Amino acid sequence: MNRDIFEPFRHTQGQWNFCLLVPFGLLGVLATRRPVLVAGFSLLLPAAIETTQALAPIGRACDTSDFVANGAGGLAGAALGALVIVFLRGTPLPRGTARKGLIATGIATALMGAVLYASADLVVMNHTVASPATSAQKAAIDQRLRDAFGGAYRATDYSVTTTGFEDAATVTAYFGNGMAELSWPDQWDFTVQIMSATDEPSGAFSVPGAAAGAAAAKRPVGDKEAVLIARAYADRFAPWGTRNAKVEVARPDDGGLPGWIVSWRRYEGEVVLPHRFDVRVDEEGRVSELTERKVADPQLPPVRVTEGEAWKSFAKSFPERADAIEEKPDPTLSAQFRDGEWRVDWLLVATTSTGSLEAAVDATDGSIHDPVEIPLARNSEVP
């Protein structure tokens, strides 16, 4: 559901969707001489299309913007047809038939609304079409891209997407073989994805001096070499990312490109602070992904809920699945920004034979946030 009702009329796709149903409304009125009936059909048709897209397994989504554009086009065509028939002679559709058509339209609309309400997940968005980036947004993400790679990449296109109730947005910059994203307006989160050197010879980022320096191997053959290359990158382009932080390295099993993810984290006791710096090193020894979260250490509330108490609250969130839990990996205490303030959450995950259960438990007041059950099939599909 798009909050911006007029957005489709500001973009080419929405304008074409408007034009698509103008002939339907116009010709329908000319054929039936019943503008009200055709106006009803002009709303029923796009509603049926969007309902089908929402419920049928065809890889499409239901979007109110498409309904608004299509429906407006049909109504405009019906209005034009009403003007035309003033000057033309013809036999109108019998009133009884038109009345039955309108009743059927109303019933069909009500049924589709009930099915959508019962079967589809409603996501409210401020916009469903990416907006052009402002000059300030372009300048901000360009600067972060230059800082991260020394000017090796130059953006050629930009877009902005927003979701939810707030004004938060994501600015995206596209360059030759990759893309970068920057959260807006806080500019906390910055991510870059570059095509791997394994797939594209000119892809990924070769760290200056890494091969000739302490990173010594032309290609990493293990965790140690991957960390050396990632550290060589950080020392040159992001020394803030490793300061007072613990390093971790892993070969991800996420279905993505092979390589290593080298991560630096800061802690306050056992609580993972929001500061974050990840570098993905591919098998050619180049940087193919970067994740930065540059946030000053916040003042955190005290931890009053124990791990055991958090698991009890977790079980209450899944009363019908608690007995099916097979394994409980060690939880993480993490600083989370929620409802305008920093909190500390227990991040809990439990596995079952059919998937996993996930939830966050506030470590201060014990409240539950974002409980979700993820089926096993979905886990295997997510890269």
Side-chain angles (χ1 to χ4, degrees), residues 231-294:
R231 192 179 295 278
Y233 167 82
D235 289 345
R236 186 179 183 96
F237 297 103
W240 61 268
T242 61
R243 192 173 300 123
N244 300 322
K246 296 180 181 179
V247 64
E248 302 171 359
V249 60
R251 295 212 68 161
D253 184 20
D254 57 5
L257 297 172
W260 294 262
I261 292 182
V262 184
S263 306
W264 280 269
R265 296 288 185 273
R266 285 172 51 78
Y267 292 82
E268 182 177 304
E270 296 182 356
V271 180
V272 182
L273 295 176
H275 163 102
R276 181 179 180 183
F277 182 66
D278 296 351
V279 176
R280 186 163 190 154
V281 178
D282 66 20
E283 292 190 319
E284 298 295 322
R286 302 181 185 180
V287 174
S288 59
E289 292 182 17
L290 171 69
T291 300
E292 296 179 356
R293 195 170 204 210
K294 299 176 72 172

Side-chain angles (χ1 to χ4, degrees), residues 32-305:
T32 65
R33 299 300 197 273
R34 296 295 183 188
V36 176
L37 175 64
V38 176
F41 283 159
S42 296
L43 297 177
L44 179 63
L45 177 59
I49 293 172
E50 295 306 313
T51 301
T52 302
Q53 291 186 165
L55 303 179
I58 57 177
R60 299 295 300 275
C62 171
D63 188 345
T64 57
S65 293
D66 293 342
F67 169 77
V68 168
N70 287 149
L75 293 177
L80 181 60
L83 292 176
V84 172
I85 62 174
V86 172
F87 304 99
L88 297 177
R89 294 181 180 180
T91 302
L93 197 68
R95 289 184 179 276
T97 302
R99 187 179 300 109
K100 291 177 181 178
L102 283 173
I103 294 173
T105 298
I107 294 173
T109 302
L111 287 175
M112 286 189 292
V115 171
L116 278 175
Y117 180 79
S119 306
D121 294 327
L122 178 65
V123 179
V124 180
M125 306 181 71
N126 289 329
H127 303 280
T128 57
V129 177
S131 304
T134 65
S135 57
Q137 291 168 333
K138 292 179 181 179
I141 198 168
D142 282 345
Q143 185 62 54
R144 294 291 287 272
L145 198 56
R146 283 193 297 271
D147 292 344
F149 298 101
Y153 304 112
R154 185 181 297 273
T156 56
D157 195 14
Y158 308 84
S159 65
V160 180
T161 55
T162 59
T163 60
F165 292 89
E166 306 296 333
D167 293 329
T170 299
V171 183
T172 304
Y174 304 90
F175 50 91
N177 56 346
M179 60 181 288
E181 293 183 334
L182 177 66
S183 62
W184 192 269
D186 57 47
Q187 302 184 45
W188 286 353
D189 299 300
F190 178 66
T191 61
V192 181
Q193 294 181 333
I194 313 171
M195 186 176 294
S196 170
T198 305
D199 294 339
E200 174 60 49
S202 62
F205 179 72
S206 182
V207 182
K218 291 182 179 179
R219 296 181 182 178
V221 294
D223 294 356
K224 181 179 179 180
E225 291 81 10
V227 170
L228 289 173
I229 291 173
R231 192 179 295 278
Y233 167 82
D235 289 345
R236 186 179 183 96
F237 297 103
W240 61 268
T242 61
R243 192 173 300 123
N244 300 322
K246 296 180 181 179
V247 64
E248 302 171 359
V249 60
R251 295 212 68 161
D253 184 20
D254 57 5
L257 297 172
W260 294 262
I261 292 182
V262 184
S263 306
W264 280 269
R265 296 288 185 273
R266 285 172 51 78
Y267 292 82
E268 182 177 304
E270 296 182 356
V271 180
V272 182
L273 295 176
H275 163 102
R276 181 179 180 183
F277 182 66
D278 296 351
V279 176
R280 186 163 190 154
V281 178
D282 66 20
E283 292 190 319
E284 298 295 322
R286 302 181 185 180
V287 174
S288 59
E289 292 182 17
L290 171 69
T291 300
E292 296 179 356
R293 195 170 204 210
K294 299 176 72 172
V295 182
D297 293 351
Q299 185 70 36
L300 299 176
V303 175
R304 296 194 177 100
V305 176

